[in-house]
Amino acid sequence: SSEVLEAIENVIQGVLQSLAQKKAPVLTVANRADWRNIEYKDSVGLQMRPGCTTKQIRSDCPQSARRFALILKVLSMIYKMVQSNTYATKRDIYYSDTLLFGSQSIVDQIINDISCMLKIPRRSLHVLATTKGFIAGNLSYTEEDGTKVNCTCSATAVTVPSNVQGIKNLTSHAKFILIVEKDATFQRLLDDDFFNKVSPCIMITGRGVPDLNTRLLVRKLWDSFQIPVYTLMDADPHGVEIMCVYKYGSLSMSFEAHHLTVPSVKWLGLLPSDLKRLNICKDALIPFTKQDENKLASIQKRPYIACQPLWKKELEIMAASKLKAEIQVLTSLSSDYLSRVYLPNKLQFGGWL
């Protein structure tokens, strides 16, 4: 915490020195939204280049003066929390003054900017993200406050903890981790008691694009147990994008890639090639929108796809057909096809990429 306080004091000292010299104070942050600032490393995923371009948030410029003030406001809140060893969620910060901040997304961006500017992980700033992910299966652990959590005996899923770094005593006999894109599919597998039937496993869902805590937990599970990590996504560009976030990281959080990415993630399904192999009826597939075409084209250009020839092939199948499918399409074969046939066969015969 002394490191965090010192980093914030250095920023404020810089502002005061500028004012003393009758200069307009300026904050310098890395340009996180520029692909040119990102490099792909096999062992880490997407990470920020050492000498990346920066942008200046000036206090004397109408376009950025408001952002400058908001960053200082949030820095003062973080400083008080670190000093008093208290925590707040990003929502707490937004609701402390909704008129001032204007929207939750502005608070989210500012916290990421601060984390990147100070080169300090967000959880060390005492800011917790609101968790939306769920976990179930062969796992038990102790939360920071001593609460014991057992995901094994639960008929309902457990919410991903809001302080992943604080959990300890992780115990599991799981043979693999299954990341499920959507909540509906996750619940279906839970109802079918999937994590006990095939072989013990841990199931986790970020319910769409994963929040920070879900990504931190997948990484912590992988670090702790070193077991295979598979993903079950829709066969569409959005599903591929989400899988890439778990495996390679995201553009906006590339400065924290070392704590977040799981380079060993495998694509288990739903593969575009599976649709033909399983004779899925064309009527059950959904035509691409223009947005889908653009998203797929952008994914195909990313540096990591060149290192994944089998993924590249699947994306080419998707691009050629201009059709997408949700995991639910498997119910057209039978209501429990996913948990009874599809996943057990894939896991037994190595049907992942």
Side-chain angles (χ1 to χ4, degrees):
S1 61
S2 58
E3 188 192 329
V4 181
L5 296 176
E6 195 182 326
I8 295 173
E9 284 161 9
N10 288 342
V11 171
I12 302 305
Q13 210 167 354
V15 169
L16 293 174
Q17 276 169 351
S18 298
L19 290 170
Q21 293 162 2
K22 297 203 165 27
K23 289 180 188 164
V26 171
L27 297 172
T28 305
V29 296
N31 200 347
R32 290 184 294 115
D34 191 342
W35 274 97
R36 287 169 300 184
N37 282 337
I38 308 297
E39 61 184 0
Y40 166 62
K41 227 182 176 180
D42 215 14
S43 58
V44 183
L46 299 175
Q47 61 175 13
M48 209 159 241
R49 290 181 191 279
C52 69
T53 61
T54 55
K55 57 182 179 183
Q56 290 196 324
I57 299 170
R58 302 189 61 86
S59 59
D60 61 347
C61 164
Q63 280 83 17
S64 61
R66 176 180 158 73
R67 195 171 189 86
F68 180 93
L70 290 178
I71 289 177
L72 290 194
K73 164 79 176 166
V74 175
L75 275 173
S76 76
M77 293 171 86
I78 290 168
Y79 193 85
K80 281 178 196 155
M81 289 192 298
V82 175
Q83 261 188 331
S84 59
N85 196 25
T86 53
Y87 288 81
T89 65
K90 294 188 297 181
R91 283 188 78 73
D92 293 336
I93 291 174
Y94 168 58
Y95 281 111
S96 71
D97 200 332
T98 52
L99 283 175
L100 177 71
F101 291 114
S103 78
Q104 180 70 61
S105 64
I106 287 173
V107 173
D108 298 354
Q109 286 165 19
I110 282 171
I111 287 159
N112 284 346
D113 275 344
I114 288 173
S115 178
C116 188
M117 176 173 73
L118 300 180
K119 293 185 172 54
I120 288 169
R122 195 169 75 191
R123 59 199 167 278
S124 303
L125 302 176
H126 286 229
V127 178
L128 304 173
T130 314
T131 294
K132 65 181 178 115
F134 287 136
I135 186 160
N138 195 294
L139 174 71
S140 59
Y141 56 85
T142 309
E143 290 200 348
E144 197 178 30
D145 63 2
T147 308
K148 287 184 167 57
V149 178
N150 188 349
C151 306
T152 313
C153 61
S154 180
T156 54
V158 172
T159 309
V160 168
S162 57
N163 188 355
V164 174
Q165 292 314 105
I167 67 174
K168 48 191 183 292
N169 307 330
L170 285 92
T171 315
S172 177
H173 303 294
K175 297 285 183 278
F176 61 91
I177 296 162
L178 181 66
I179 300 170
V180 183
E181 177 187 348
K182 282 183 167 136
D183 193 24
T185 310
F186 180 85
Q187 295 299 340
R188 179 69 214 236
L189 291 172
L190 202 58
D191 294 343
D192 290 349
D193 198 25
F194 174 75
F195 61 81
N196 285 321
K197 274 184 185 160
V198 180
S199 66
C201 73
I202 298 167
M203 297 195 316
I204 190 162
T205 180
R207 298 161 77 196
V209 179
D211 58 290
L212 189 69
N213 293 329
T214 304
R215 290 176 62 191
L216 281 169
L217 185 59
V218 172
R219 176 61 194 244
K220 192 171 183 108
L221 292 172
W222 181 62
D223 283 341
S224 303
F225 304 122
Q226 293 292 312
I227 52 179
V229 184
Y230 303 117
T231 57
L232 180 62
M233 306 279 150
D234 287 340
D236 67 7
H238 189 63
V240 175
E241 171 91 289
I242 289 169
M243 176 170 59
C244 291
V245 168
Y246 283 107
K247 185 175 174 76
Y248 299 114
S250 61
L251 186 63
S252 64
M253 294 297 287
S254 56
F255 62 95
E256 265 210 66
H258 289 270
H259 312 287
L260 292 171
T261 58
V262 181
S264 70
V265 160
K266 301 277 186 288
W267 187 1
L268 186 67
L270 187 63
L271 302 177
S273 59
D274 289 340
L275 303 173
K276 194 174 178 187
R277 188 174 59 81
L278 297 171
N279 285 325
I280 300 287
C281 170
K282 271 257 173 82
D283 296 344
L285 305 179
I286 307 158
F288 262 25
T289 61
K290 190 74 193 135
Q291 203 179 357
D292 290 326
E293 283 181 42
N294 295 342
K295 167 78 76 189
L296 184 56
S298 119
I299 293 170
Q300 286 176 304
K301 288 193 197 100
R302 288 187 195 164
Y304 43 72
I305 294 298
C307 314
Q308 289 279 9
L310 296 175
W311 282 31
K312 198 173 171 210
K313 214 168 165 182
E314 293 293 330
L315 299 183
E316 282 163 4
I317 292 171
M318 203 191 289
S321 73
K322 290 194 178 173
L323 292 168
K324 57 185 181 177
E326 296 185 331
I327 297 160
Q328 283 82 345
V329 80
L330 296 176
T331 56
S332 66
L333 300 171
S334 79
S335 62
D336 58 352
Y337 192 85
L338 175 67
S339 59
R340 186 175 54 84
V341 183
Y342 183 81
L343 288 175
N345 282 350
K346 282 252 168 181
L347 292 160
Q348 190 180 345
F349 300 114
W352 57 79
L353 305 178

